[in-house]
Amino acid sequence: MARYELYYWPTIQGRGEFVRLAFEDAGVAYTDVARTKSGMAKMMRFLDGKEGGARPFAPPFLKSGSLVVAQTAAILHYVAPRLGLVPRDAQSQLLAHQLQLTICDLVAEAHNTHHPIATGLYYKDQKAEARLSAQHFTRDRIAKFLGYLESIIVKKDALFLVGKRHSYVDISTFQVINGLRYAFPKSMQRIEKKLPALVKLEQRVAARPNLARYLASPRRIPFNTDGIFRHYPELET
Ligand SMILES: N[C@@H](CCC(=O)N[C@@H](CS)C(=O)NCC(=O)O)C(=O)O
């Protein structure tokens, strides 16, 4: 086991991918526990409250020594200073956390397009509502969230969302753009035309050597219709 143990569902990118990407970009070793032998059983022990540390409600969660931390944004807030993925000052770290939480809100809304009624129901049981939810999401919400991030870069006249250097928020922005491109390709083609600074940022992140290597590796699970970002063509007509 590496010093950092990430616990997340082993067959999807999902929310765990935001954490995987941070470790991969930093080139810091981590164990993706549920993808190892008996790892799923180990993850379930934490979720069932049978392990030490704060009991997580849901994956992803991270274990480092005796610390157990859940919630994507909280995990990144904890780990980013240790990975050199956020400026050192408290104000920048708070801003980064705020932006990550906003990205988490966008991720939750993306999830709600295919599960607008209940997480516990199958997509096929809420298709009509999903269609309406996706209509609003692709018409209004993606542009509102991504336009907000675009405006931050434009106002700062900078290459990065936080401070004067690359941070985990840039990486998460890369990930959410790619998830949305997979789920809603037609809408994103239209929306991205108004986001030139964000698209350039996404390209810069994709070209970072450690990330480019990871993205081309078998460790990067392809997007699929079990994840948070799902491509159902009928939701985009
Ligand atoms: N707000 C949490 C959400 C965690 C979450 O919903 N995890 C999903 C997988 S992406 C899960 O397994 N949920 C189980 C459940 O809600 O019962 C975060 O950002 O980490």
Side-chain angles (χ1 to χ4, degrees):
M1 285 285 183
R3 171 174 163 207
Y4 293 109
E5 295 173 28
L6 171 66
Y7 291 79
Y8 193 67
W9 305 114
T11 57
I12 59 170
Q13 291 186 23
R15 290 179 171 91
E17 195 68 10
F18 292 93
V19 186
R20 291 186 185 122
L21 287 168
F23 281 115
E24 295 286 348
D25 183 61
V28 169
Y30 67 103
T31 303
D32 205 340
V33 180
R35 291 170 81 179
T36 64
K37 196 162 178 279
S38 315
M40 269 300 287
K42 194 156 183 228
M43 181 163 89
M44 295 319 292
R45 286 185 56 80
F46 280 92
L47 294 172
D48 292 341
K50 293 180 181 156
E51 292 285 347
R55 181 184 175 190
F57 173 74
F61 56 91
L62 182 79
K63 181 173 185 299
S64 176
S66 59
L67 177 94
V68 180
V69 56
Q71 292 284 352
T72 311
I75 296 168
L76 290 167
H77 181 62
Y78 168 75
V79 90
R82 291 159 175 83
L83 301 182
L85 281 177
V86 72
R88 286 179 189 279
D89 62 289
Q91 199 178 340
S92 298
Q93 294 190 7
L94 188 59
L95 173 63
H97 190 41
Q98 175 194 317
L99 293 176
Q100 182 64 43
L101 284 164
T102 306
I103 291 170
C104 287
D105 289 344
L106 172 55
V107 170
E109 289 199 23
H111 172 268
N112 290 349
T113 60
H114 49 81
H115 278 77
I117 299 296
T119 304
L121 287 176
Y122 290 109
Y123 164 65
K124 67 175 175 54
D125 298 325
Q126 44 194 320
K127 267 178 127 169
E129 295 86 352
R131 218 179 151 105
L132 190 58
S133 175
Q135 260 172 25
H136 284 272
F137 184 66
T138 53
R139 196 186 62 199
D140 305 326
R141 300 297 287 172
I142 299 178
K144 182 165 184 182
F145 275 103
L146 296 185
Y148 165 72
L149 295 175
E150 170 87 7
S151 76
I152 292 173
I153 306 178
V154 170
K155 187 167 177 204
K156 281 172 66 185
D157 193 19
L159 297 176
F160 311 106
L161 279 156
V162 177
K164 294 195 174 87
R165 50 184 291 253
H166 170 73
S167 76
Y168 71 91
V169 180
D170 297 331
I171 301 175
S172 294
T173 300
F174 156 86
Q175 175 63 7
V176 84
I177 287 175
N178 279 279
L180 291 169
R181 278 180 186 158
Y182 164 73
F184 301 109
K186 287 192 218 158
S187 306
M188 283 300 281
Q189 256 189 15
R190 167 178 53 80
I191 293 165
E192 284 186 37
K193 288 189 184 132
K194 295 193 177 148
L195 306 169
L198 214 58
V199 169
K200 282 197 193 113
L201 179 141
E202 184 276 327
Q203 289 165 349
R204 279 194 301 276
V205 173
R208 288 176 64 80
N210 284 350
L211 280 187
R213 253 192 307 278
Y214 167 66
L215 295 173
S217 80
R219 290 199 304 289
R220 171 81 163 180
I221 301 164
F223 286 110
N224 60 52
T225 49
D226 292 323
I228 292 179
F229 301 105
R230 299 189 184 186
H231 181 56
Y232 293 126
E234 66 273 20
L235 293 187
E236 230 199 350
T237 49

